[in-house]
Amino acid sequence: AAVGDLLSGQYQLNENVPANSSKDYTISFGKTFSTPPIVVANIYGYLNPKTELMGPNICQVTKTDFIIRVYNSYSQPLSCKVNWLARG
């Protein structure tokens, strides 16, 4: 992918985020940017209002992927989808 490219995707967490904790996930862009892109992400809760208690934090971005830390402040494990957008 060249500078100025815009990629987006949705990632289903492969396991629950533990209660009152966080977990890191690596998400691949599927293409290579010439430099690490700017990445934004949000939580998509699909049918579970408790995902309001979850939050994303982008921890590391490379030319091919990024690590997102998902926080769960609820008293039980939760899962969600992550919507992301990367601009090179």
Side-chain angles (χ1 to χ4, degrees), residues 15-87:
E15 58 188 55
N16 286 340
V17 178
N20 299 308
S21 188
S22 65
K23 186 160 179 59
D24 289 357
Y25 299 88
T26 300
I27 299 176
S28 175
F29 298 127
K31 294 186 176 182
T32 301
F33 286 90
S34 57
T35 61
I38 296 169
V39 178
V40 294
N42 74 332
I43 299 295
Y44 173 64
Y46 68 96
L47 305 176
N48 187 348
K50 299 296 185 208
T51 54
E52 293 177 350
L53 300 169
M54 300 180 83
N57 183 34
I58 297 167
C59 300
Q60 178 181 336
V61 180
T62 71
K63 294 188 252 183
T64 58
D65 60 23
F66 67 99
I67 296 173
I68 186 166
R69 180 167 294 144
V70 179
Y71 294 91
N72 175 12
S73 61
Y74 188 54
S75 59
Q76 295 178 10
L78 291 174
S79 187
C80 65
K81 292 182 181 179
V82 174
N83 295 316
W84 59 268
L85 184 68
R87 181 167 189 223

